[in-house]
Every structure is written in C-alpha cells, then in structure tokens.
Amino acid sequence: MARQAVIRTTGGPEVIAWVEVDLPPPGPGEARVRHEAVGLNFIDTYHRSGLYPVPLPSGLGSEAAGVVEAVGEGVTAVAVGDRVTTYGPALGAYASARNVAADALLAIPDGIGFDVAAAVTLKGCTAEYLIERCARVQPGQTVLVHAAAGATGQLIVQWLKHIGATVIGTVGSPDKAERARAIGADHVIEYKHEDIAARVREITGGEGVPVVLDGVGGLTWEASLKSAARRGMIVSFGNAGGPVTGVNLGTLSQHGSLFVTRPTLYHYYATPEERTAGVAQVFDLVARGVLQVEIGRRYALEDAAEAHRAIAAGETMGATLLIP
C-alpha cells in the first residue's frame, strides 16, 4: 500500500487529501519507486490553487527521490535497487511510492543523498536553463535576482557567481539578506524597506541591469521593468507574488526596448540530450561544492498542507522537503 495525495477540487491547502493505494505492478515502460524524500516547489501551490489548471482529480508534486522497487516490461534504463530522482513532468510525487514512467527517472550519483537530490533536481535544472540557455548570462554581467534566499534563488545566485557574474539579490527579511550575502550575492536589497529599482540604478551607476531573473511575478514586475538596462532582458519564470497580466508591449519600448520571456523548464529539457546535459551540470556542481543546497525545513509527508501554507507565507528559506 502507498499513501498518495490527491486534490479533487482546487483551493487552499485544505483541499489536499490522502488516500491509501494498492499499487499494481508497473506497466510497460514504468518503474515503481519508493520515495525517500519529496521536493516541494512553488509550482505545486499553483496546481493546487488552480492558477495552473490540471485535470481533476489529480496528484500533486513533480520532484522526488527514492529507490526503484520494480520495473515493467521493456524497461532497461533503470533496475531494481537503483537510486533515482525525477523533476516530472507527471504529477503525483506527494506519495510514499508510485509507478512512474521510467524515462522520467534520473540516476542519483554516488555521494549525493536522497534529501539533496529531492531538493536540487528541479530547482537546479531551473537555474541551469535560466542562466546558461535562456538568458545566456556572460561573465562580468550584473544580474538582478528576485527572492535570492529562496530555494531556487540560492542556486541561481551561486551559479551566477560561479560563472563570474555580479549579483544583486532582493529578499524580504534581514535573515534572508544575511543568507543571500553568505552564498555570494554582491548586493542585497530588502524590498520591504528599499525601492528596488532606485537601489539597482544606484548600484549600477544609473545604467540598470542587462538581465533580471524574476520568479516572483506580479509583485516585482514594475520593479523589474524599472531596473532593466536599455535592451535588457527580463526572464519572468514564476508567480510567487501573483501572475503578470495585462502586459502592454509598448511598455517594453518605454523602458528601453526590453526583451521579455516567460519560459518553462520542460521546453528547455524537451529532448533526452538536453535533459542529460543539463542534469549532469547540476549534479557536477553539487558534487564539486559549487552549489550548496540548503534544506530549510522538513515536514512529514502528510503535513503537506502545512508546508504549503508556510511556503506561500514566505516563511521558508532554502528548500522544503516532505519525508514519507
């Protein structure tokens, strides 16, 4: 029997229910994985709330790490006993075990534990594609990173410093400011007490930044516009502060002929070759100590609703895990 989360309607954290499932043998192309750790991501709250609609009823979560317990017909990429992780795209990671497409599983390198794998797979791959292949940040460039002390923000800051960029990070509290500095942010702006754009212009001598990495969305959109340099790029990749809506393209001209993109991980990890190369970079930087993965909170699997409330309230720092 496996414990799995299910939502039958969208809404607040209270809509998360739990069911006991007698898992059938994995079908062709599938593997059964016993989860050791499940990664919580902000996108999980979008699926739960209905901001990103999913067919109902639905499972929740896309990131988890564990051990292969059985494989179905035709599966050769993984074997029983393998340590694996996944970033999706199939939902249902909030579970003690599940059957999942074997080609969605990634081997966890020796020396990397289940907790770290569940905390870094999706978020690390997000940092990789945003920096290396979406914004194509160059050494010496200055980049504005919103929510720099969050789980993904921390990995972005460290990756940017690794390639030689200057980082301006925004945070919501003094302890998060301290954390952002500790992982390498060159400048930190506490947005509750400082005008983000004014500080960015001050730091950059009035020029603004060539790249903004914005995982917050609606709350920071205006600040991102006003912080970008002429012909700069705003990469809006999340909605932690609400979705960006009603964008007038003329606004981009008024702020300096800006570029804006709204990317998603799965469009940059669309082929096996892209996935293999991106994941390899992430695990290599973790193994070398370039990326320090902070696990801020661990919750019991069935306390997922409490974890959702905490992450939505901005109470967490670093990655949050659910432990079966």
Side-chain angles (χ1 to χ4, degrees), residues 56-301:
L56 297 175
S58 175
L60 277 178
S62 57
E63 185 177 34
V67 178
V68 176
E69 290 191 319
V71 297
E73 180 183 351
V75 173
T76 59
V78 297
V80 173
D82 283 357
R83 301 167 66 249
V84 295
T85 183
T86 183
Y87 54 66
L91 301 184
Y94 288 16
S96 60
R98 64 170 172 160
N99 292 332
V100 63
D103 61 8
L105 299 174
L106 309 162
I108 302 173
D110 293 341
I112 295 178
F114 292 115
D115 282 13
V116 170
V120 81
T121 303
L122 189 148
K123 302 168 191 69
C125 291
T126 298
E128 182 277 324
Y129 93 79
L130 289 174
I131 295 167
E132 301 287 352
R133 293 184 286 128
C134 181
R136 299 182 181 181
V137 178
Q138 300 301 305
Q141 286 188 318
T142 300
V143 181
L144 175 62
V145 180
H146 290 298
T152 302
Q154 288 192 27
L155 298 175
I156 289 173
V157 170
Q158 293 175 86
W159 201 302
L160 288 169
K161 294 307 299 179
H162 171 64
I163 67 172
T166 297
V167 178
I168 304 173
T170 70
V171 298
S173 65
D175 60 332
K176 291 184 178 182
E178 181 179 350
R179 180 58 182 164
R181 293 188 183 95
I183 59 172
D186 300 278
H187 308 275
V188 178
I189 300 170
E190 291 188 45
Y191 66 83
K192 293 180 181 178
H193 308 293
E194 301 177 89
D195 183 294
I196 294 173
R199 282 286 289 125
V200 168
R201 295 289 172 178
E202 178 184 348
I203 292 166
T204 59
E207 292 296 317
V209 294
V211 177
V212 179
L213 299 179
D214 188 345
V216 176
L219 289 179
T220 50
W221 172 246
E222 287 296 325
S224 294
L225 282 173
K226 295 175 182 177
S227 298
R230 184 171 56 252
R231 299 194 301 274
M233 173 180 282
I234 300 173
V235 182
S236 180
F237 67 95
N239 305 299
V244 178
T245 59
V247 178
N248 183 334
L249 292 181
T251 301
L252 306 180
S253 172
Q254 295 164 12
H255 285 87
S257 297
L258 303 181
F259 295 86
V260 175
T261 181
R262 179 59 175 89
T264 185
L265 171 76
Y266 303 112
H267 293 156
Y268 282 83
Y269 280 64
T271 68
E273 294 77 16
E274 290 172 338
R275 183 178 70 168
T276 299
V279 171
Q281 280 201 75
V282 172
F283 283 138
D284 175 62
L285 293 186
V286 172
R288 290 162 51 193
V290 173
L291 296 181
Q292 299 290 329
V293 182
E294 180 188 21
I295 300 172
R297 294 191 182 186
R298 291 174 171 84
Y299 292 84
L301 181 66

Side-chain angles (χ1 to χ4, degrees), residues 11 40-51 60 94 308 311-312:
L40 189 150
N41 294 280
F42 223 100
I43 194 172
D44 303 349
T45 70
Y46 306 158
H47 293 142
R48 186 211 72 227
S49 70
L51 180 62
L60 277 178
Y94 288 16
H308 274 225
I311 194 173

